[in-house]
Amino acid sequence: MGFAKRLHEGYSNRKYDIDKKKIEDFIDRFFRFIFFLEYQQCSELIDIERRLNDFRTEFHEILSSVTEENKTVKTEEFFASFPAIYKMLENDAKAVLANDPAAKSMEEVMFSYPGFFSIAVYRFAHELYKSNIPLIPRIWTEFAHSKTGIDINPGAEIGTHFFIDHGTGIVIGETTIIGNHVKIYQGVTLGALSVTKNMQNKKRHPTIKDGVVIYANATILGGETVIGENALIGGNVWITESVAPNSVVFHKGQVTVKNKYPGNEPIIFSI
């Protein structure tokens, strides 16, 4: 079989007739619109209402490419959920401003923080995930992943006032449950103990209770692993069992310092 024939067979048999770039472009433009990142495009209320209707029409067209079921109803349900999602995102931004000493304003958080962008895309994708919309939720969160290095599966359940600092390298698996007022730093993995297809419909990822702080490069694995309320998880720890509320978990490594010139008086001590 020639290569062109193989591609023709693939196009003929594909389940969805989608434009991935259009789906990614939609969420990127919608984020910039609702967080005021467009230059003087909507100074009048009537302009904002017109733009929202344009986005509604465009989303209905995108939805048509992945499902034939109740497209109009699902579009209206999705747009009706926006006020609640937007309120959660405002609380996420407030959590960043309240906890990051480098953050100077809400606008700075919304305009420039990769963690906030990834959370925003996740919250809209999660709404579609709950409605069993195929493809679009994962395309959106993988788009955010490609821009920020933060991988949040749209199936994860994340509470309010969620704070991601720096963000690069964070992985949050599909069945993860995260409570309210949780802070996570770069390189954290909330993953599965093992990955096999027969675990598809089982809880594979940890539960993080309210008020937990997880510092850089910590790895927490397993669907039965629960990190109790207000626990503090230090950097570089590896956890596969539950942790009681209010615990402090840390990795005590050894750093050795010595003089790099052999002829000099040796200076050797450990921290």
Side-chain angles (χ1 to χ4, degrees), residues 234-237 249-257 269-271:
N236 298 310
V237 299
V249 181
F250 63 93
H251 171 76
K252 188 176 182 181
Q254 177 172 307
V255 179
T256 301
V257 181
F269 58 90
S270 298
I271 299 174

Side-chain angles (χ1 to χ4, degrees), residues 6 20 57 78 105 116 142 146 158 167 200 208 217 230:
R6 175 68 188 87
K20 183 183 176 187
T57 301
F78 183 51
S105 67
F116 181 74
E142 287 302 324
S146 71
I158 301 178
Q200 185 171 17
I208 312 297
N217 299 314
N230 302 311

Side-chain angles (χ1 to χ4, degrees), residues 126-198:
H126 182 64
E127 198 65 27
L128 297 181
Y129 180 94
K130 290 191 298 182
S131 297
N132 296 314
I133 301 297
L135 285 182
I136 297 175
R138 196 62 188 270
I139 289 175
W140 282 356
T141 54
E142 287 302 324
F143 173 66
H145 183 192
S146 71
K147 291 173 73 76
T148 66
I150 301 167
D151 180 2
I152 309 177
N153 190 289
E157 299 177 19
I158 301 178
T160 65
H161 298 81
F162 184 46
F163 172 36
I164 288 178
D165 200 7
H166 305 295
T168 304
I170 285 176
V171 176
I172 300 176
E174 182 184 21
T175 60
T176 302
I177 298 175
I178 297 176
N180 301 322
H181 297 278
V182 170
K183 294 188 284 187
I184 292 181
Y185 290 78
Q186 68 273 14
V188 167
T189 296
L190 305 179
L193 273 170
S194 62
V195 181
T196 56
K197 196 64 179 177
N198 61 3

